[in-house]
Amino acid sequence: MASHWPQNRVPGLDQAAQIDARHPHSARVYDYWLGGKDNFAADRDAAEEAISANPGIVADARANRAFLARSVRYLAGDCGISQFLDIGTGLPATSNTHEVAQAAQPAARVVYVDNDPVVLSHARALLTSGPAGRCDYVYADLRDQATILEAAGHTLDLSRPVAVMLLMILHLIPDPDGPHAVVSALLDAMPGGSYLILAHPASDVRPDAVAEMTRRINQRLSGSKATLRDRAEITQFFTGLDLVGPGVVQPQQWHPDPAEPGPADVTAWCGVARKP
């Protein structure tokens, strides 16, 4: 079944006409780092300013994208997971979640979630499922778990295991908003055998460069500001779950592909864990 977005089902669909090109958005800045073209001048300026503070950020972003592909391939191919809830998906790029999952399981179902209208418009056009599977899109903020779960339930069977994906999104949830509680609420709604795939910018890898980069980005972002966390804080997101080896590591260290070596150091921590 191909993707479809009935207007009475997608929260915030009308906001697609309210794109603000004057201020950078994290999804479009990330798109620029990945070599994408779906960004505005404000996004490119912010991305270049970040690069000037932390030149390794481009390689870091691409290493994180490679981790996404490896982790989805592992869960779909080795663990039999056929449902994915990808929150903070960003703009379509290479090796999108449904493409990787459906290569292993043609009937896999994927729901993408983001809160950028530009992402919405591109997702509707480009994130099309294979004929045996299905993918859909939800316009929502990560903190609005009720909307996400209600809408995702139209495509996913939430009584069966789901892989919840939170890659490079939780740093946009400040501590007062309870990011650990946000993750717990999502996982509490999933049955046993579900998984969490998570990646988060690190405050304790190249700390000076990352802190300066974050300061510059935060000055430009009109929405949520980035909050960096260290490995111990990021590991807490997996509380109550069974971490898949090698545990919480840098993205290039998680089940590395010898044919595609990553950079020696990546300013992020990531992991995959199973809900008992």
Side-chain angles (χ1 to χ4, degrees):
M1 184 182 297
S3 304
H4 60 288
W5 286 267
Q7 289 205 18
N8 62 353
R9 276 192 41 202
V10 181
L13 185 61
D14 57 339
Q15 296 185 43
Q18 300 174 14
I19 295 169
D20 180 5
R22 299 168 302 169
H23 299 99
H25 187 282
S26 56
R28 301 193 301 263
V29 170
Y30 198 76
D31 173 72
Y32 180 83
W33 291 335
L34 291 176
K37 306 297 184 184
D38 299 310
N39 44 72
F40 301 116
D43 307 306
R44 295 188 287 273
D45 289 347
E48 285 292 346
E49 190 163 354
I51 292 169
S52 69
N54 180 23
I57 188 58
V58 171
D60 292 354
R62 295 176 184 182
N64 180 69
R65 191 71 188 182
F67 163 69
L68 179 154
R70 294 196 308 276
S71 59
V72 170
R73 189 178 301 119
Y74 168 80
L75 291 187
D78 294 2
C79 303
I81 298 297
S82 61
Q83 302 191 107
F84 295 81
L85 179 58
D86 186 347
I87 304 175
T89 179
L91 285 150
T94 58
S95 300
N96 295 295
T97 297
H98 73 283
E99 295 169 330
V100 178
Q102 290 178 358
Q105 293 208 38
R109 294 186 169 206
V110 178
V111 172
Y112 293 102
V113 182
D114 207 290
N115 67 349
D116 180 11
V118 172
V119 175
L120 170 61
S121 63
H122 283 77
R124 294 179 68 205
L126 300 175
L127 297 181
T128 55
S129 171
R134 184 170 170 181
C135 65
D136 212 339
Y137 186 92
V138 177
Y139 184 95
D141 187 279
L142 171 56
R143 286 160 287 205
D144 188 2
Q145 294 111 29
T147 293
I148 291 171
L149 293 169
E150 191 278 331
H154 290 282
T155 301
L156 307 179
D157 179 354
L158 300 183
S159 69
R160 296 175 48 242
V162 176
V164 177
M165 303 173 60
L166 297 168
L167 278 76
M168 297 310 206
I169 181 65
L170 284 165
H171 63 294
L172 298 175
I173 308 297
D175 290 337
D177 286 359
H180 293 88
V182 168
V183 176
S184 295
L186 287 168
L187 269 293
D188 286 348
M190 303 299 160
S194 294
Y195 283 82
L196 173 65
I197 305 176
L198 185 148
H200 192 297
S203 64
D204 50 350
V205 180
R206 301 204 301 269
D208 292 342
V210 171
E212 177 59 19
M213 178 189 73
T214 303
R215 185 189 69 80
R216 295 184 186 185
I217 286 284
N218 281 346
Q219 285 182 332
R220 289 177 171 266
L221 291 177
S222 59
S224 298
K225 310 301 182 184
T227 300
L228 298 178
R229 298 181 173 98
D230 61 23
R231 187 180 189 182
E233 292 172 302
I234 294 165
T235 300
Q236 289 176 16
F237 288 115
F238 297 103
T239 299
L241 307 177
D242 298 328
L243 273 163
V244 173
V248 178
V249 296
Q250 294 178 16
Q252 82 283 9
Q253 297 168 338
W254 197 90
H255 293 218
D257 183 349
E260 298 180 5
D265 212 22
V266 173
T267 56
W269 298 109
C270 71
V272 176
R274 182 180 185 274
K275 179 177 179 178

